[in-house]
Amino acid sequence: MSDFGGGEKPTAHNAAEGGAAPKSGDGGKQTYGVARNANEFRDITSNGEKITAVASSTFVSTVVIQEINAPAMCQIVFELDTNWTDDDYKQFAAGSRLEIPDKLVQDKQLPPMYVSGLTLDGTTGSSMQSTLTVTAFDKMHFLRFGEYSKSFVNQSDQDIFEWIVESVGMNFSTIGYMSKLAYPFFLSDNETRYDLLLKVCRQEYYECIVKMKGEHETLVVNSREYRNSALDPPLFYNYDIEAINLDMRVPTLVETVTIRGYDFLNGKPLSTTDSDNTELSEMKGAQKAFEASEPFGDSPVTLKRPDIGSENSLVNIAVGQRERFQDTFIEGTVTLRQINLEACPGVNVDLRGINSRFDGLYHVVKSTHRIDRNRNFTILNVTRSGM
């Protein structure tokens, strides 16, 4: 089956050309979030205004990358010619707000991104040509600027997250579970707000990404779950999926995690251990890491957190660390035949038609959307739990 134009498959290309109506195995549902017209990626706005006609006409490619716990990034390449003027360059001044048109997606999956750099690449001679690459990041990137030392007394994870985002004018929102326990004392010592964000996400095994909530850029924090797919219908191999590469590896750090802290108020050490594997994640696959032909011995992990003085907080951290260590059983990449913005980091996708061993739910940790003059596609980095 051809991936580009003229076929029954509703790709970004033949959709733009008025191609055949979408068909799918469930009786006609189209995968949600598909770009209806790849040219809409060229209609990027800068500070609320469409980019100039000169820039639009010399468009070469756009790459948008979203990743869990990392700033979203886009790179737009233009082929420079003698028609470019100062006004064409000024629209990409540092800090300019770039947006993909709202009509491209149903729910603003891509946040605004802000120009952070320009790269000029040129050659001379008979094949003289030059390109301009515009690089932009979402507001999470701004958290990397400056270093702070701050103590949090009787404050929760939510309090810490709200302090992190207030400096860059973002809102904060949660999806799913978040610990409501207050830390008697929590120290951020000479680090960026982004470093602090990663530390809190890592210790409780949270995931964060910037999304639009209404008209506001919002840091959305959620806990990883494997219960439902965000896409309906599922993604089918050799239909929605053009290429796939999945590696199955048994986790080497399993079973038992011990966290050691210190109670400064009472002057005594604290310790807690988590080793409960009774609640297995619902991956709906044919095999889990603990269903190997022979059992693997426990590989205990001990971590020190002397800055944590609450036993309840240590329990939450121990659970989060065990899940983090055991979470990667299968990982790899999935290349889709068309742009799919709904398959963004933090959601689950249901892969079908591979084989009984690899079919099932996968968690998206990174998505790369590419539009250029030759083709348009999405690459997903996915993982499946070993629990």
Side-chain angles (χ1 to χ4, degrees), residues 61-335:
S61 66
T62 300
V63 176
V64 179
I65 300 174
Q66 290 180 288
E67 187 172 1
I68 289 296
N69 298 348
M73 181 195 77
C74 74
Q75 284 193 318
I76 312 166
V77 179
F78 300 95
E79 188 173 13
L80 299 179
D81 59 26
T82 55
N83 293 321
W84 275 68
T85 66
D86 285 345
D87 289 337
D88 298 309
Y89 290 102
K90 286 178 180 178
Q91 65 189 328
F92 301 119
S96 296
R97 175 180 168 129
L98 304 183
E99 293 182 84
I100 303 294
D102 293 348
K103 61 183 178 179
L104 180 64
V105 294
Q106 301 202 24
D107 217 4
K108 285 191 176 180
Q109 298 297 321
L110 300 178
M113 301 185 204
Y114 299 83
V115 175
S116 64
L118 301 176
T119 302
L120 177 65
D121 187 10
T123 58
T124 60
S126 59
S127 61
M128 184 174 64
Q129 60 180 5
S130 58
T131 59
L132 180 71
T133 301
V134 180
T135 301
F137 294 92
D138 68 19
K139 276 194 173 180
M140 193 187 298
H141 179 63
F142 298 166
L143 298 176
R144 291 170 164 165
F145 304 150
E147 292 188 353
Y148 306 85
S149 292
K150 180 175 175 60
S151 58
F152 298 89
V153 179
N154 293 324
Q155 292 182 285
S156 64
D157 290 336
Q158 179 168 335
D159 296 324
I160 297 174
F161 284 128
E162 289 176 346
W163 178 82
I164 289 173
V165 301
E166 66 179 5
S167 66
V168 295
M170 282 197 295
N171 290 349
F172 170 73
S173 176
T174 62
I175 299 176
Y177 167 80
M178 173 169 286
S179 173
K180 298 184 182 302
L181 290 174
Y183 301 99
F185 180 79
F186 186 95
L187 178 63
S188 174
D189 186 19
N190 196 32
E191 58 189 351
T192 67
R193 294 188 188 225
Y194 181 65
D195 291 334
L196 177 59
L197 174 69
L198 293 184
K199 182 165 70 175
V200 178
C201 286
R202 189 180 298 114
Q203 72 179 19
E204 298 277 7
Y205 204 34
Y206 297 136
E207 297 181 337
C208 67
I209 189 172
V210 176
K211 291 186 176 182
M212 291 299 292
K213 294 289 187 180
E215 297 299 319
H216 301 285
E217 292 153 277
T218 303
L219 180 72
V220 179
V221 179
N222 66 285
S223 54
R224 183 176 297 191
E225 296 182 347
Y226 292 99
R227 290 185 172 84
N228 299 297
S229 172
L231 304 183
D232 181 23
L235 298 174
F236 286 91
Y237 184 61
N238 203 32
Y239 184 81
D240 303 286
I241 300 171
E242 179 180 277
I244 197 166
N245 183 282
L246 298 174
D247 292 323
M248 179 185 290
R249 298 188 182 94
V250 174
T252 55
L253 298 172
V254 300
E255 201 78 36
T256 304
V257 174
T258 300
I259 306 287
R260 304 190 189 280
Y262 191 81
D263 184 350
F264 287 96
L265 296 178
N266 298 305
K268 64 177 184 179
L270 300 173
S271 178
T272 186
T273 299
D274 181 72
S275 59
D276 183 10
N277 285 307
T278 58
E279 296 184 7
L280 302 179
S281 295
E282 299 176 15
M283 292 306 300
K284 300 180 181 178
Q287 185 182 40
K288 296 183 176 68
F290 299 112
E291 295 173 351
S293 59
E294 294 184 7
F296 288 81
D298 184 18
S299 302
V301 175
T302 300
L303 302 174
K304 296 180 180 179
R305 288 298 305 272
D307 57 321
I308 303 297
S310 165
E311 188 168 357
N312 289 333
S313 296
L314 290 178
V315 170
N316 283 346
I317 294 173
V319 172
Q321 294 309 293
R322 181 180 63 80
E323 292 177 352
R324 181 169 71 91
F325 287 134
Q326 296 175 350
D327 200 30
T328 303
F329 176 40
I330 303 175
E331 62 180 346
T333 59
V334 177
T335 302

Side-chain angles (χ1 to χ4, degrees), residues 42-56:
R42 305 183 185 188
D43 294 333
I44 296 167
T45 63
S46 175
N47 297 323
E49 301 289 335
K50 281 188 177 182
I51 60 174
T52 61
V54 170
S56 181

Side-chain angles (χ1 to χ4, degrees), residues 10-29:
T11 65
H13 275 281
N14 63 30
E17 298 162 1
K23 297 181 180 180
S24 68
D26 70 340
K29 289 185 179 179

